[in-house]
Amino acid sequence: MIVSFSDPVLIQGITGREGRFHSYQMLEYGTNIVAGVTPGKGGEWVSGIPVFDAVSAAVSATGATISIVFVPASQAVDAIYEAVDSGIRLIIVITEGIPILDTMRIIDYARGKHCRIIGPNCPGILVPGSVKLGIIPDSISRPGSVGVVSRSGTLTYELINVLSQSGLGQSTCIGIGGDPVIGTTMVEVLDFLEADPVTDRIVLLGEIGGRGEIDAAQYIATSMTKPVVAFIAGKYAPTGLQMGHAGAIVEGDEGSAEAKITSLQRAGVRVVNNPEDIPSLLR
Amino acid sequence: MKLHEYQSKLILSQYGISSPYGKVVTNPADARIVAQDIAAPVILKAQTFASSRSLAGGFLRADTPDDAFTAAEQLLDSKVNGYAVHKVLVEEYVESLSEVFVAITTDRTVGKPVMVASSQSGLEIHNVISHSADEAFYEIVEPLIGLRDYQIRRLAGNLYVEPAQWSQFEKFVSGLYRCYVATDATLVEINPLATVFRANKNQLLALDAKLYIDGNALFRQPALLAMRDFEGEREDVVYLHDSGMIYHRFDGQIGCMVNGAGLAMAIMDLIYEKGNKNCVPANFLDIGGSAELQSIYDGLKTIISNPNVKVVLVNIFGGVIRCDDVAKGIIRFLQEHPPDLPFVIRLQGTNAEIAHELLAQSGLSGIVHAFSLTDAVQKAIKLICS
């Protein structure tokens, strides 16, 4: 998860609509995109970036160590296997809609090859003023010391926006994704933010489904010194209904917003009812 | 995507899982015919997605074909836990010698499939996991390797399956896992898995079966997708799945169109916090990351097709989405379908200024501009609940 602005990045699915648009946005920001990969489009250029047919060819030619995946869901898992097998060490999967079986397999595989996956169905990483690996809009961000970990996309952007407007810049923002099975957990991001010298306080944006926030609460209680403020979406979501994200569902007793909020509060986290109230609690 | 019991049993039979003989009927006369065919007591089971059907009166035993007619009549006329009954499974009634619960689902925390089993059958899986802590057995399955035979044997031991039955149990359980993988299931549940005595030996039968298919995998499961029962799913749900949007209808008055699930849930939460029972959400609609002009159009159309809607709240934070595209969609929609409703619109992010300008220049009335989440929610509530 430790990335620097000079790390060479390749974009998988670069010639698709999303790939093209966001590669351009990242280039504008200064991200060191050295290659793109779309099978069958090798030899083309996108915004001055050379496109290769295969990840291995791109890595040989450019030394890329990070991949950002915009490949459509039906082909995404194959693209990720390809990246892992080609020596990529960090893969950020933007794609939404990957079958859960595919996700379980690829995350297990990547772990065995010491490759970190962030996502799927995530907006990626933003270190304001430094690194943009993904689709978090940088225009609303500003450098600072608030770390952000979130399962959401646009809710994260809203939060970054109000933080910036309140004069609270961000150190590192990481979107871990909205799927039920993900490559990097909330606990792992909190661990990174706790150790990060630039970060002095943290915002956690969670939602219904699974127990990631409950594990986070335990980690915060036992291993963190930096203050955490949280918002958990979906307090009023009916049981059993999938609320947009594949992972946002309350099943029986598990995954309710209430349980997560209680757990976080017991760990000393202040939990708000309105994300726009977060800046005032961070001061 | 949920499949009915009769569909699940049909699919599972392809993986070596046997169920009692039965047929699905849609009218009482056919129920009588099936019962005559079976020539033995039958059980009639409402085929709905309601949970705990047996506890909610969804299962009726009939000892004669005429009783089957009456029972079918009763079930087909009823609702089970709010779900209307359109189909009834008429099945031979079977006495079990013993019953267990076996299911395969996803362990989200570990990120792997997990087999859950208990000698206590009859409870829903989530109750098994949370309440049967001492009596539930778990086997995590390595996703790249699959379920091992020794894991099944270990489970058989834990459930006190007779050694004489182990080979049958192994075939059965390995069939469940093969089905789970082949159908991209998020849940395969046999509850109860019964030991019955027939043809002079003990046999394993699935007395009930549940199969839920991963919505993200439907693109590669066309045969299963064709079995989808839209009518049977909650009547207030409309699927806009082809466009990547997710819509759930509720009972309230504030129609909502938001991009992003977390944000859509947050808006819903804020409305409940700040409103009262006369101004709550009429729906949940996440238009997703890449809203086409057509999607916005379709989304709005769906929202206002709900006659309870008195105000529409649009909150779009443009990251991937361009706010001016959203504005164009809204303008086109309102020009073609001038509704009698106010629209509270808050657009922020990529091309937001252009978007607000377009809206202002469109000449449309009934548009209220908002500038934050709280502002949008408060304005929507104030318009109908002041």
Side-chain angles (χ1 to χ4, degrees):
Chain A
M1 240 172 311
I2 299 175
V3 293
S4 88
F5 65 87
S6 58
D7 287 336
V9 177
L10 67 83
I11 308 290
Q12 290 181 265
I14 193 172
T15 54
R17 231 187 72 159
E18 303 303 318
R20 261 181 217 278
F21 179 78
H22 290 292
S23 298
Y24 178 74
Q25 300 288 323
M26 281 187 265
L27 278 177
E28 290 283 284
Y29 199 69
T31 303
N32 187 20
I33 303 179
V34 296
V37 176
T38 298
K41 307 273 181 159
E44 292 185 12
W45 295 80
V46 172
S47 301
I49 303 163
V51 181
F52 296 81
D53 285 323
V55 178
S56 53
V59 170
S60 285
T62 65
T65 56
I66 296 176
S67 171
I68 307 179
V69 177
F70 289 92
V71 176
S74 55
Q75 297 132 43
V77 76
D78 181 68
I80 306 170
Y81 275 117
E82 192 188 344
V84 175
D85 287 344
S86 305
I88 298 287
R89 65 157 182 104
L90 173 65
I91 304 174
I92 295 173
V93 184
I94 311 294
T95 308
E96 177 168 17
I98 299 177
I100 197 171
L101 202 53
D102 289 356
T103 302
M104 287 193 279
R105 286 175 175 154
I106 190 56
I107 287 173
D108 196 38
Y109 185 73
R111 227 171 247 145
K113 305 269 181 175
H114 309 292
C115 169
R116 173 170 292 285
I117 291 180
I118 300 184
N121 188 13
C122 82
I125 299 178
L126 180 70
V127 182
S130 175
V131 179
K132 174 168 154 136
L133 297 173
I135 65 174
I136 298 177
D138 49 270
S139 55
I140 50 169
S141 71
R142 50 194 276 186
S145 60
V146 178
V148 178
V149 57
S150 172
R151 282 169 64 183
S152 174
T154 50
L155 181 59
T156 314
Y157 312 163
E158 292 276 12
L159 187 266
I160 291 173
N161 190 46
V162 299
L163 286 176
S164 298
Q165 284 178 348
S166 310
L168 291 162
Q170 307 90 43
S171 54
T172 297
C173 306
I174 302 186
I176 59 176
D179 278 3
V181 175
I182 49 177
T184 295
T185 63
M186 224 161 228
V187 169
E188 287 172 297
V189 179
L190 287 170
D191 188 53
F192 164 77
L193 292 173
E194 174 72 11
D196 175 39
V198 182
T199 301
D200 62 19
R201 55 215 117 146
I202 292 159
V203 177
L204 187 158
L205 296 177
E207 58 193 47
I208 51 167
R211 42 173 298 125
E213 293 85 348
I214 302 207
D215 294 338
Q218 185 174 32
Y219 178 77
I220 291 166
T222 57
S223 317
M224 282 186 75
T225 60
K226 297 175 184 174
V228 182
V229 178
F231 171 74
I232 305 295
K235 277 198 288 295
Y236 294 90
T239 312
L241 220 52
Q242 183 192 317
M243 306 297 282
H245 283 155
I249 179 167
V250 180
E251 293 167 307
D253 280 350
E254 189 176 272
S256 73
E258 256 174 76
K260 295 173 195 240
I261 291 170
T262 305
S263 188
L264 287 163
Q265 285 171 331
R266 286 207 191 115
V269 175
R270 281 162 304 165
V271 183
V272 298
N273 286 329
N274 183 342
E276 290 177 341
D277 292 340
I278 288 175
S280 56
L281 289 195
L282 281 173
R283 293 183 195 290
Chain B
M1 181 184 84
K2 292 183 181 176
L3 288 171
H4 288 295
E5 176 190 0
Y6 77 93
Q7 295 170 313
S8 307
K9 283 174 166 170
L10 194 61
I11 293 164
L12 283 163
S13 67
Q14 295 164 21
Y15 297 90
I17 284 118
S18 312
S19 312
Y21 175 78
K23 278 180 100 145
V24 153
V25 303
T26 53
N27 65 73
D30 285 344
R32 188 188 355 235
I33 294 172
V34 174
Q36 272 163 358
D37 238 3
I38 291 175
V42 295
I43 181 158
L44 292 99
K45 306 167 96 178
Q47 299 297 285
T48 71
F49 295 125
S51 48
S52 306
R53 287 170 298 153
S54 58
L55 298 172
F59 290 4
L60 292 174
R61 176 175 165 157
D63 288 340
T64 71
D66 282 338
D67 285 346
F69 182 97
T70 314
E73 219 173 22
Q74 193 182 324
L75 284 174
L76 286 164
D77 207 20
S78 72
K79 282 193 175 207
V80 176
N81 277 340
Y83 287 83
V85 182
H86 300 293
K87 292 188 166 98
V88 169
L89 175 62
V90 183
E91 217 178 51
E92 58 168 322
Y93 183 82
V94 157
E95 290 283 0
S96 30
L97 300 172
S98 64
E99 295 181 350
V100 297
F101 170 105
V102 181
I104 300 176
T105 186
T106 317
D107 183 319
R108 286 175 66 146
T109 307
V110 172
K112 296 178 180 177
V114 59
M115 189 164 63
V116 184
S118 167
S119 44
Q120 197 182 353
S121 67
L123 294 175
E124 295 271 306
I125 184 170
H126 302 289
N127 292 327
V128 171
I129 292 173
S130 42
H131 301 300
S132 307
D134 293 334
E135 296 147 25
F137 305 102
Y138 302 89
E139 290 287 339
I140 296 285
V141 183
E142 291 299 329
L144 294 170
I145 308 291
L147 184 63
R148 308 310 307 162
D149 286 346
Y150 83 83
Q151 290 180 289
I152 307 176
R153 288 197 297 275
R154 183 158 64 198
L155 186 64
N158 284 330
L159 294 174
Y160 301 111
V161 175
E162 292 290 328
Q165 279 217 287
W166 278 12
S167 119
Q168 222 192 112
F169 187 76
E170 259 170 64
K171 268 210 202 84
F172 200 101
V173 175
S174 65
L176 283 181
Y177 187 74
R178 278 184 299 116
C179 176
Y180 170 87
V181 171
T183 61
D184 275 304
T186 52
L187 175 70
V188 181
E189 179 182 311
I190 308 294
N191 179 22
L193 167 57
T195 302
V196 306
F197 188 77
R198 50 172 56 190
N200 283 322
K201 54 185 163 89
N202 281 350
Q203 287 186 19
L204 289 173
L205 279 189
L207 294 193
D208 198 347
K210 239 187 218 161
L211 193 54
Y212 292 176
I213 309 300
D214 179 11
N216 283 350
L218 291 174
F219 72 87
R220 63 184 186 201
Q221 298 285 354
L224 297 178
L225 183 56
M227 294 169 89
R228 186 169 200 163
D229 179 8
F230 285 95
E231 215 192 336
E233 285 163 355
R234 251 192 253 245
E235 286 146 350
D236 53 8
V237 176
V238 169
Y239 286 88
L240 303 168
H241 243 108
D242 286 348
S243 56
M245 299 195 280
I246 303 234
Y247 174 88
H248 296 300
R249 182 170 147 167
F250 304 133
D251 289 329
Q253 311 78 10
I254 302 179
C256 302
M257 186 166 89
V258 183
N259 67 317
L263 187 53
M265 283 190 275
I267 295 255
M268 202 169 123
D269 291 343
L270 280 175
I271 293 174
Y272 275 106
E273 301 273 333
K274 297 189 182 296
N276 59 53
K277 67 173 176 2
N278 296 318
C279 26
V280 290
N283 65 272
F284 171 94
L285 174 59
D286 169 16
I287 59 170
S290 45
E292 308 286 339
L293 210 62
Q294 190 61 42
S295 307
I296 290 159
Y297 194 89
D298 291 341
L300 287 174
K301 199 152 170 244
T302 306
I303 291 175
I304 68 167
S305 71
N306 174 354
N308 298 331
V309 170
K310 298 205 175 92
V311 63
V312 179
L313 191 171
V314 177
N315 187 92
I316 304 286
F317 199 104
V320 180
I321 281 193
R322 274 159 274 206
C323 297
D324 51 337
D325 284 342
V326 177
K328 285 179 196 152
I330 296 172
I331 291 167
R332 179 178 135 202
F333 180 81
L334 292 177
Q335 281 168 346
E336 291 179 22
H337 304 87
D340 255 334
L341 307 167
F343 274 63
V344 176
I345 302 181
R346 188 245 175 171
L347 304 175
Q348 179 99 33
T350 313
N351 295 351
E353 294 92 49
I354 302 174
H356 278 287
E357 257 180 61
L358 284 171
L359 285 167
Q361 285 162 16
S362 67
L364 292 162
S365 62
I367 292 184
V368 176
H369 294 257
F371 304 98
S372 74
L373 283 178
T374 311
D375 190 34
V377 168
Q378 284 174 334
K379 281 176 173 158
I381 289 173
K382 190 145 181 250
L383 278 167
I384 59 171
C385 279
S386 37

